[in-house]
Amino acid sequence: MRHGKKHNHLGRTTSHRKAMLSNMATSLILHKRITTTLAKAKALRVYVEPILTKGKDDTTHSRRTVFSYLQDKDATTILFREIAEKIANRPGGYTRIVKLQNRLGDNAEMAIIELVDYNTVYGTDAAQAAKKSTRRRGGSGKAKADAPVTAAPAASAEVTPADEFEVAEAPVEDAAVAEAPAAEETPEAPAADEENAEKGE
């Protein structure tokens, strides 16, 4: 029984689990987004968010504490220089987990874990754009009423390639119509001569 055991062992020994989470946290800080299994993503979120909170306080003690978890100088530097500025006004909740389709090999639940402030798809800009689009839809009736008045002269003034083809085809049709009576008259003329000849006889 696992009474009181709050973290997922992930089927590993303590040393293996800590090393794996340290490497995953380093990759998340360097690349801002990683793909892993859902269980590992949830374990990583609990592991990395206190480290990100520690990164807001740029002191020697904080840097040494963070380095003891990450064991990577580049990741520590990026955390205190770049990421700390992005998450300065965010009171926790620095990561987001997005579920993916199950893995083909073993049908494991997969997920993306990413830093919230480095994603433009779910950010505030996208939310503002969505709000603006809903406002535009509300006034679409007025826009449609005004659109034909302004667009009609431009459409009539411009000559499209389709119009040019229609103009070019029109004389061809007239010529065909003009040729049709001429063709009909030629057979009728001999018939009329034959009738006159019969009357004369």
Side-chain angles (χ1 to χ4, degrees):
M1 287 186 237
R2 53 184 305 275
H3 295 302
K5 297 180 181 177
K6 296 182 180 180
H7 65 270
N8 189 348
H9 294 281
L10 299 173
R12 289 163 172 81
T13 61
T14 302
S15 58
H16 187 180
R17 181 178 179 277
K18 286 182 179 178
M20 183 191 68
L21 291 175
S22 175
N23 290 334
M24 291 174 67
T26 300
S27 298
L28 180 63
I29 290 170
L30 292 177
H31 303 291
K32 312 302 185 288
R33 174 188 297 180
I34 59 174
T35 303
T36 182
T37 61
L38 183 61
K40 289 180 186 176
K42 289 180 178 179
L44 177 61
R45 178 173 55 187
V46 176
Y47 182 86
V48 77
E49 292 210 356
I51 295 174
L52 296 176
T53 301
K54 185 69 86 170
K56 291 182 177 181
D57 183 21
D58 191 2
T59 60
T60 303
H61 177 66
S62 296
R63 283 179 176 264
R64 287 176 176 171
T65 304
V66 169
F67 181 77
S68 69
Y69 285 100
L70 299 180
Q71 295 293 316
D72 189 278
K73 291 182 180 179
D74 295 334
T76 305
T77 303
I78 290 172
L79 172 60
F80 282 93
R81 286 186 183 174
E82 299 176 11
I83 298 177
E85 295 178 1
K86 287 267 192 180
I87 64 175
N89 297 326
R90 186 176 293 277
Y94 313 109
T95 58
R96 175 189 293 115
I97 295 175
V98 181
K99 293 182 181 180
L100 301 175
Q101 292 181 347
N102 291 5
R103 191 161 54 192
L104 292 178
D106 55 357
N107 203 35
E109 293 180 325
M110 301 298 291
I112 291 175
I113 181 169
E114 60 190 1
L115 297 179
V116 172
D117 295 292
Y118 282 88
N119 191 330
T120 58
V121 177
Y122 303 100
T124 55
D125 298 337
Q128 291 177 358
K131 289 180 182 178
K132 289 181 181 178
S133 64
T134 55
R135 289 175 188 166
R136 288 177 188 165
R137 289 177 192 155
S140 61
K142 295 178 181 178
K144 288 179 181 177
D146 297 337
V149 176
T150 56
S156 61
E158 294 178 359
V159 178
T160 60
D163 296 335
E164 294 176 1
F165 289 124
E166 290 176 2
V167 172
E169 291 174 357
V172 175
E173 293 175 359
D174 295 339
V177 172
E179 290 175 0
E184 292 174 358
E185 289 174 1
T186 51
E188 290 177 357
D193 293 339
E194 290 176 0
E195 289 176 1
N196 293 335
E198 289 176 359
K199 289 179 182 178
E201 291 177 356

